[in-house]
Amino acid sequence: MATAPKSDLWTRVGSAIVLFAIAGTALWFGGIAFGLLLLVGGALVVVEWLALVRAMGLGSGAKAALTVLGPVAILGAMAGLWFIRDSLGMTAALWVFGMVWATDIGAYFAGRAFGGARLAPKISPSKTWSGLFGGMIAALVVGSTIADRGGIVGVPLWIGLIMGLISQLGDLGESWMKRRAGVKDSGKLIPGHGGLFDRVDGLLPVALILGALAFAGDIAVRAAG
């Protein structure tokens, strides 16, 4: 089995460290810093989204719908993340990110360990049903743990199961777009990783849903003591 050259591996690792440092610093400070990161990041994802839509060869109606609805949903997700961080605090924001990260990690290791039937072979051949359920369970464990210890109330602890599913559907949705467009990545912004959309495809629908719930007042953080 062929392996990636060491130079490519170190490029991916270096890019990941830089991204984590930038995002982590902005998340820690919150406010304008986090809002600016989300605004710039959202704009970059919109650019990549529109490029994919143009290359997908869709009919005029579907193309027009994705051209309008996609950017609205992307920016709505970014606004949701900012609202959660600004109104509920960093623990709530980490709760959102934690479920998405846990989904990715759980799906990867469960798929590797158990293999089995392919989830959507025509869209993303590497994804399996075992990976789907592994990601959901991982999101459940991490999400319920952070929610319990961080005092997040208003949603059932098993919300992680749903968010684990939604995150993976977001990933599959982007995979479908890239396959239709005939490209491997959504862009070349991040060395060794592709586009920014490639990194946040699972986060966007989760942030959009939880941001809407937070704005509606269905999610809160219990006061200490």
Side-chain angles (χ1 to χ4, degrees), residues 3-172:
T3 57
K6 288 186 177 180
S7 58
D8 292 345
L9 175 62
W10 285 114
T11 297
R12 289 176 61 84
V13 171
S15 295
I17 291 173
V18 171
L19 286 173
F20 185 80
I22 294 173
T25 300
L27 179 62
W28 175 267
F29 284 103
I32 294 177
F34 192 53
L36 183 60
L37 175 70
L38 294 175
L39 181 62
V40 173
L44 291 172
V45 175
V46 166
V47 170
E48 294 177 0
W49 171 281
L50 294 177
L52 285 176
V53 171
R54 287 194 298 269
M56 287 172 65
L58 299 171
S60 58
K63 183 176 181 180
L66 288 177
T67 298
V68 174
L69 296 178
V72 171
I74 291 166
L75 295 179
M78 297 300 177
L81 283 174
W82 182 85
F83 182 81
I84 289 172
R85 173 64 181 89
D86 187 65
S87 63
L88 301 182
M90 189 170 68
T91 299
L94 288 175
W95 173 63
V96 178
F97 284 110
M99 285 189 287
V100 175
W101 293 336
T103 298
D104 290 342
I105 295 170
Y108 174 79
F109 283 106
R112 295 271 294 185
F114 301 107
R118 302 298 173 182
L119 177 61
K122 293 184 178 180
I123 298 176
S124 184
S126 65
K127 289 182 173 57
T128 61
W129 283 98
S130 61
L132 174 70
F133 292 119
M136 292 172 65
I137 293 171
L140 167 65
V141 172
V142 171
S144 60
T145 299
I146 296 176
D148 181 57
R149 296 185 178 181
I152 298 169
V153 297
V155 291
L157 293 181
W158 48 260
I159 192 70
L161 280 177
I162 306 301
M163 293 303 105
L165 173 61
I166 295 298
S167 177
Q168 292 180 80
L169 290 178
D171 191 331
L172 279 175

